[in-house]
């Protein structure tokens, strides 16, 4: 319900968008001229009704409370969650650390760091939340053969520092070829590729149709193709098919340098 009061004024001044209104006892108030009726000049008498709209006040208070509750729900109750990590692919000298999609609520990601056996590593990590949730994995290299390791991730945010769970892995021995994962480039024939795949099955390794973090070697006879360029970009050893045959013949992992294309 709106409560109103009415008052009468005489226009005593019009200047720069403001009107000087005089009361009967010659008190002066300033009033926006744009709110006066058209045609008002000096000396005009105007009646002004002033009202209080309690219903509008109630509506505004309710809207403000709802906004406060939304802000509390968005920024006051949801907290950033610690990363959840797991071990991905492991070989004789490297392993892949994977993580679940990061949930930072309303916080900002400032940095991520990889720890190995309690020591912070100089490892390139995603610098933005978008990149971290797009890649969701990192390869750490330079590991010793047949060795146990512990890994965890530190995540620095605008809301504080969070540590992931700790995961463990053991690098493979040289005679364990299960970590070998190859991708094929252009070979002499499809028959040659099929024969190489049979070799992979016999030694307990695997192959992938495209170059990825899991690929350990790129096998090809020709320096062409998009997968070849991708392998070079990711520093994946590019070797001749003879390397795979040598691994089978010796029943252990062979140095790639002797078989570089």
């Amino acid at each position: 319900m709106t409560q109103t009061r009415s008052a009468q004024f005489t226009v005593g001044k019009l200047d720069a968008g403001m009107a000087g209104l005089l009361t009967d006892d010659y008190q002066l108030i300033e009033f926006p001229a744009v709110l006066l009726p058209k045609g008002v000049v000096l000396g005009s008498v105007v009646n002004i009704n002033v009202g209080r709209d309690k219903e509008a006040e109630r509506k505004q208070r309710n809207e403000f409370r709802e906004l406060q509750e939304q802000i509390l729900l968005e920024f006051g109750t949801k907290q950033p969650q610690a990363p959840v990590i797991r071990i991905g692919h492991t070989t004789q000298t490297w392993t892949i650390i994977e993580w679940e999609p990061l949930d930072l609520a309303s916080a900002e990601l400032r940095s991520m760091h990889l720890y190995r056996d309690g020591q912070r590593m100089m490892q390139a990590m995603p610098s933005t939340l978008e990149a971290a949730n797009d890649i969701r994995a990192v390869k750490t290299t330079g590991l010793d053969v047949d060795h146990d390791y512990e890994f965890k991730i530190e995540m620095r945010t605008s809301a504080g520092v969070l540590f992931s769970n700790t995961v463990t892995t053991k690098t493979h021995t040289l005679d364990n070829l299960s970590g070998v994962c190859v991708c094929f480039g252009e070979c002499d024939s499809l028959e040659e590729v099929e024969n190489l795949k049979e070799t992979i099955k016999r030694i307990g390794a695997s192959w992938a149709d495209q170059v990825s973090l899991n690929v350990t070697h790129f096998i090809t006879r020709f320096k062409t193709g998009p997968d070849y360029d991708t392998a070079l970009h990711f520093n994946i050893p590019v070797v001749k098919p003879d390397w795979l045959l040598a691994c089978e013949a010796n029943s252990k992992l062979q140095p790639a340098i002797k078989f570089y294309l």
Side-chain angles (χ1 to χ4, degrees):
M1 180 178 179
T2 303
Q3 299 176 345
T4 62
R5 291 184 61 183
S6 180
Q8 190 175 81
F9 300 90
T10 300
V11 179
K13 181 178 68 172
L14 289 171
D15 182 36
M18 296 298 294
L21 305 182
L22 293 170
T23 64
D24 292 338
D25 54 358
Y26 302 105
Q27 294 188 35
L28 177 66
I29 68 169
E30 290 189 335
F31 192 81
V34 70
L35 298 180
L36 294 176
K38 290 183 179 180
V40 167
V41 295
L42 293 179
S44 296
V45 177
V46 295
N47 291 319
I48 296 178
N49 295 320
V50 180
R52 179 183 180 184
D53 193 335
K54 292 186 177 180
E55 184 63 32
E57 290 178 9
R58 238 184 332 263
K59 182 179 179 182
Q60 288 181 352
R61 283 196 298 268
N62 290 338
E63 291 176 350
F64 182 68
R65 290 195 189 98
E66 290 176 1
L67 177 60
Q68 286 183 312
E69 291 175 357
Q70 290 176 3
I71 294 174
L72 177 63
L73 182 63
E74 182 67 23
F75 299 100
T77 58
K78 293 183 63 178
Q79 298 294 326
Q81 301 299 307
V84 178
I85 66 173
R86 60 179 177 270
I87 295 294
H89 200 74
T90 298
T91 70
Q92 281 78 7
T93 58
W94 55 259
T95 190
I96 293 176
I97 312 299
E98 302 174 344
W99 56 83
E100 296 295 322
L102 301 179
D103 180 8
L104 299 189
S106 59
E108 295 180 0
L109 179 64
R110 292 181 173 170
S111 62
M112 294 179 68
H113 306 283
L114 179 66
Y115 283 73
R116 185 181 76 192
D117 295 335
Q119 298 295 316
R120 179 168 160 178
M121 307 299 297
M122 297 298 293
Q123 173 78 45
M125 298 287 285
S127 59
T128 66
L129 179 61
E130 181 179 2
N133 281 337
D134 181 45
I135 301 172
R136 290 176 52 194
V138 64
K139 178 190 288 186
T140 179
T141 61
L143 306 182
D144 294 330
V145 175
D146 192 25
H147 193 85
D148 292 308
Y149 290 98
E150 287 186 350
F151 294 96
K152 65 180 178 181
I153 286 179
E154 176 192 47
M155 184 173 69
R156 294 181 175 269
T157 76
S158 58
V161 179
L162 298 169
F163 282 93
S164 72
N165 55 306
T166 299
V167 293
T168 61
T169 189
K170 186 175 184 178
T171 53
H172 295 175
T173 57
L174 290 178
D175 58 355
N176 181 358
L177 299 177
S178 62
V180 173
C181 180
V182 307
C183 181
F184 292 102
E186 295 187 23
C187 294
D188 287 337
S189 64
L190 291 176
E191 182 180 359
E192 181 182 31
V193 173
E194 291 303 318
N195 290 335
L196 292 172
K197 287 181 178 180
E198 290 300 321
T199 301
I200 291 173
K201 292 179 183 179
R202 289 194 296 270
I203 66 175
S206 61
W207 71 84
D209 294 329
Q210 292 181 327
V211 175
S212 66
L213 279 179
N214 290 345
V215 171
T216 59
H217 298 79
F218 186 76
I219 297 179
T220 184
R221 291 195 182 276
F222 305 97
K223 298 180 179 181
T224 58
D227 284 335
Y228 171 78
D229 295 333
T230 304
L232 293 180
H233 177 73
F234 286 108
N235 295 319
I236 296 174
V238 178
V239 295
K240 302 173 185 177
D242 298 344
W243 170 82
L244 189 60
L245 300 178
C247 289
E248 182 183 31
N250 292 276
S251 298
K252 66 178 181 179
L253 187 69
Q254 297 300 297
I257 191 171
K258 297 180 181 180
F259 302 91
Y260 280 161
L261 186 63

